[in-house]
Amino acid sequence: MSCIIGEDEVNYSFNAHLLIDEYEVDFNSKSKFLALDWNPVLVGNVTSKLMLSVRDVTLLKKMENEARSKKRELDIISQLLNVADKKYLAFADSAKRFTAENYKQLEINEQRSQAAIALIFRNLHTIKGNCRTFGFDYLSDVVHDVESVYSALKTKPDAHWDRDKLLRDLAHVENILQEYDDVYYKVLGRGENGGDQREPNNFLADKKTIEIIQNSIDTANQRYPELQNTQPLLPIQSLLDCAMSHPLSEVLSDIITSLPTIALELDKEAPKIIIMDNQIRIKFSAAELVTNIFSHILRNSVDHGIETTEVRLQAGKPISGTIEIHALPQQEHLHIYVKDDGQGINVDKLFKKGIEIGQWQAEDKPSYSDIANIIFASGVSTKETITSISGRGVGMDAVKEFLLAQNGNIFIRLLNDNSNDQNIGQAAMVPFELVIELPKNMITLSA
């Protein structure tokens, strides 16, 4: 006020935005919203006083909130209508389990725990990635905000561990997830028993029936070992394996569908995806694992690897990048090779990251391969800026942990390793492919 009253009218123009224009008050135990309108009273060019008009906008505020809520509900409905029942249920179940695991970590860690921070961070990052896969924007935005809190905790060892606030943040994530559930079940009337329960390959038995048949065969094989791998049972087992699995391309279809949107945000063309699955099918029990790891891998490929349209044109490359996914069964594992035609991995930056985290000293000369594989360490990223897509150094760390927990693994294989001929910094970008190992019991082969 002192900068306005008694001063030239231009001061009002400069400072009017600082005046309170709305506030909430209690009248007889009822909340009311009041809107304030300010107007200067001038004497010449000087503001001598301010005229204040007060309006009760409680009803208007209520109507605005209802309209906002209805718009939000309609937005969520439109998001859910684009997702099949089975896929939403799998997503929601995964998100709830990750959230429950996060709650458990906070409950058992009254004091700061780096291990708990890393685990919760990975879980949130995975939930966010799955949200982006299906276009669940409201939940994705909330998870991103909560994830930012853990990013600060990871990078600032002296940051305050406020467990109550962290629990409230998780509760907020849980509430938004519940909002999606409410719309899904109560508004849309969808659910586990709705719709066609047959598998996409039109096998006529539902999942529960297939599981009963499989359990009966397993029991028979245990009681009568001589039946195992006999000619009469092989066709039945082959049909069951097919009925309880998806082609790799189908497991990845939703993530691949989401990539053009991510590319657009990054000023890039949608990548071309080539999948050579060699008739390999992923069992239902492993589909969530594969989805979670590829959610990180494919987003990272679009964000980190494939260049912008301008850079690709300057390099004489097609404007659209290409990502190749090649699955090959080995003796004990399924190997899935993933590579793109982008700029490669920046071993120079990763070498410096290794020094920062104490992996080696500045005078050490690790191989390019050792340097590249540090990308799986917690908190390591070559991105200069953090976005809602990546840059926090958690994606590949999460992939590694998910796979190790299921007896799988992942590593980087360099495609042009000249580390014996060059020094760090002379050829920073090196092409590579990811090699993913999945236990053989997670897959089956098409007949």
Side-chain angles (χ1 to χ4, degrees):
M1 292 288 188
S2 61
C3 294
I4 296 175
I5 297 177
E7 301 293 337
D8 192 282
E9 64 175 315
V10 73
N11 280 35
Y12 173 80
S13 300
F14 288 153
N15 295 287
H17 68 283
L18 299 174
L19 298 172
I20 298 173
D21 58 6
E22 184 179 279
Y23 71 104
E24 184 179 3
V25 295
D26 286 331
F27 283 112
N28 299 324
S29 300
K30 290 186 178 180
S31 181
K32 285 186 176 291
F33 289 92
L34 302 179
L36 309 181
D37 294 321
W38 303 85
N39 290 284
V41 178
L42 302 177
V43 176
N45 292 326
V46 176
T47 302
S48 63
K49 61 183 72 174
L50 293 175
M51 181 172 67
L52 173 63
S53 300
V54 181
R55 292 179 295 120
D56 184 347
V57 294
T58 305
L59 181 59
L60 178 62
K61 200 78 172 177
K62 180 181 179 182
M63 294 172 64
E64 287 177 349
N65 288 337
E66 288 176 352
R68 192 179 300 112
S69 176
K70 184 58 65 176
K71 180 184 182 301
R72 181 186 178 94
E73 183 178 284
L74 289 172
D75 285 344
I76 293 176
I77 287 173
S78 68
Q79 294 168 19
L80 291 173
L81 286 176
N82 291 323
V83 180
D85 283 0
K86 187 178 299 183
K87 292 178 180 179
Y88 174 74
L89 292 170
F91 161 81
D93 181 63
S94 171
K96 290 170 186 175
R97 283 189 281 105
F98 280 130
T99 302
E101 186 175 24
N102 290 351
Y103 268 122
K104 182 179 179 181
Q105 288 299 314
L106 289 176
E107 288 169 358
I108 63 178
N109 289 284
E110 295 185 10
Q111 304 299 322
R112 180 189 180 94
S113 165
Q114 287 301 114
I117 292 170
L119 177 59
I120 296 172
F121 196 12
R122 287 196 300 269
N123 289 346
L124 289 170
H125 199 70
T126 302
I127 293 174
K128 184 179 74 173
N130 292 338
C131 287
R132 293 184 66 88
T133 294
F134 295 114
F136 297 155
D137 296 335
Y138 288 118
L139 184 54
S140 175
D141 290 344
V142 170
V143 175
H144 178 69
D145 290 342
V146 176
E147 181 190 51
S148 298
V149 176
Y150 288 88
S151 177
L153 287 171
K154 286 186 68 173
T155 57
K156 300 176 182 177
D158 57 344
H160 178 52
W161 177 262
D162 187 345
R163 190 171 67 152
D164 289 340
K165 180 186 181 303
L166 297 177
L167 286 168
R168 289 195 299 272
D169 287 343
L170 281 185
H172 188 32
V173 172
E174 192 174 46
N175 289 339
I176 302 299
L177 180 58
Q178 184 61 51
E179 189 174 349
Y180 275 79
D181 260 7
D182 288 343
V183 173
Y184 177 81
Y185 287 104
K186 298 176 183 178
V187 179
L188 295 177
R190 297 164 73 178
E192 295 181 10
N193 296 320
D196 187 354
Q197 293 297 303
R198 292 183 298 176
E199 298 303 327
N201 55 15
N202 291 321
F203 193 81
L204 296 180
D206 61 25
K207 184 178 178 180
K208 184 175 181 181
T209 302
I210 297 171
E211 289 176 346
I212 292 173
I213 297 172
Q214 182 65 66
N215 290 336
S216 297
I217 292 177
D218 291 342
T219 301
N221 285 334
Q222 290 174 2
R223 292 182 179 178
Y224 309 101
E226 65 275 12
L227 290 177
Q228 294 186 36
N229 299 321
T230 59
Q231 194 62 36
L233 287 183
L234 286 178
I236 299 175
Q237 187 62 63
S238 178
L239 284 172
L240 289 175
D241 287 343
C242 184
M244 298 192 70
S245 62
H246 292 305
L248 177 60
S249 58
E250 187 174 314
V251 175
L252 302 181
S253 62
D254 291 311
I255 304 170
I256 291 172
T257 301
S258 72
L259 294 181
T261 301
I262 294 173
L264 182 63
E265 292 180 31
L266 297 166
D267 191 28
K268 300 178 181 182
E269 295 292 322
K272 178 182 179 182
I273 310 297
I274 299 174
I275 299 179
M276 297 166 281
D277 60 12
N278 289 309
Q279 298 185 305
I280 288 166
R281 299 174 65 91
I282 305 297
K283 291 184 178 179
F284 291 164
S285 57
E288 182 183 325
L289 171 67
V290 174
T291 298
N292 286 340
I293 64 175
F294 271 92
S295 175
H296 293 291
I297 288 171
L298 294 181
R299 284 204 320 275
N300 279 359
S301 185
V302 174
D303 192 8
H304 292 263
I306 297 174
E307 309 93 332
T308 62
T309 300
E310 182 181 355
V311 172
R312 290 183 67 84
L313 286 174
Q314 290 175 353
K317 294 182 177 181
I319 59 173
S320 294
T322 299
I323 302 174
E324 295 183 9
I325 302 170
H326 188 192
L328 282 176
Q330 305 293 330
Q331 187 171 1
E332 298 295 333
H333 293 87
L334 167 70
H335 280 187
I336 304 178
Y337 303 91
V338 184
K339 65 179 179 180
D340 60 57
D341 67 344
Q343 59 190 344
I345 194 165
N346 193 322
V347 293
D348 187 35
K349 284 187 178 179
L350 286 175
F351 178 72
K352 293 174 182 175
K353 289 286 184 181
I355 296 173
E356 288 178 17
I357 66 175
Q359 184 70 22
W360 44 66
Q361 302 298 316
E363 63 273 12
D364 292 339
K365 297 186 179 299
S367 69
Y368 276 15
S369 180
D370 287 343
I371 296 171
N373 278 281
I374 201 177
I375 199 72
F376 300 108
S378 179
V380 172
S381 174
T382 57
K383 281 295 289 280
E384 298 292 343
T385 57
I386 292 174
T387 69
S388 61
I389 298 172
S390 69
R392 298 189 187 280
V394 64
M396 302 311 293
D397 169 31
V399 168
K400 184 90 168 182
E401 292 298 325
F402 288 149
L403 284 166
L404 290 176
Q406 298 297 324
N407 297 316
N409 205 348
I410 185 171
F411 59 90
I412 284 178
R413 181 161 65 190
L414 299 180
L415 302 178
N416 182 24
D417 185 2
N418 296 321
S419 56
N420 292 328
D421 304 322
Q422 298 169 329
N423 295 319
I424 298 298
Q426 290 183 340
M429 309 305 295
V430 179
F432 71 98
E433 67 180 359
L434 291 169
V435 183
I436 302 161
E437 294 182 349
L438 291 178
K440 270 252 181 110
N441 61 8
M442 292 186 174
I443 69 165
T444 186
L445 297 177
S446 299

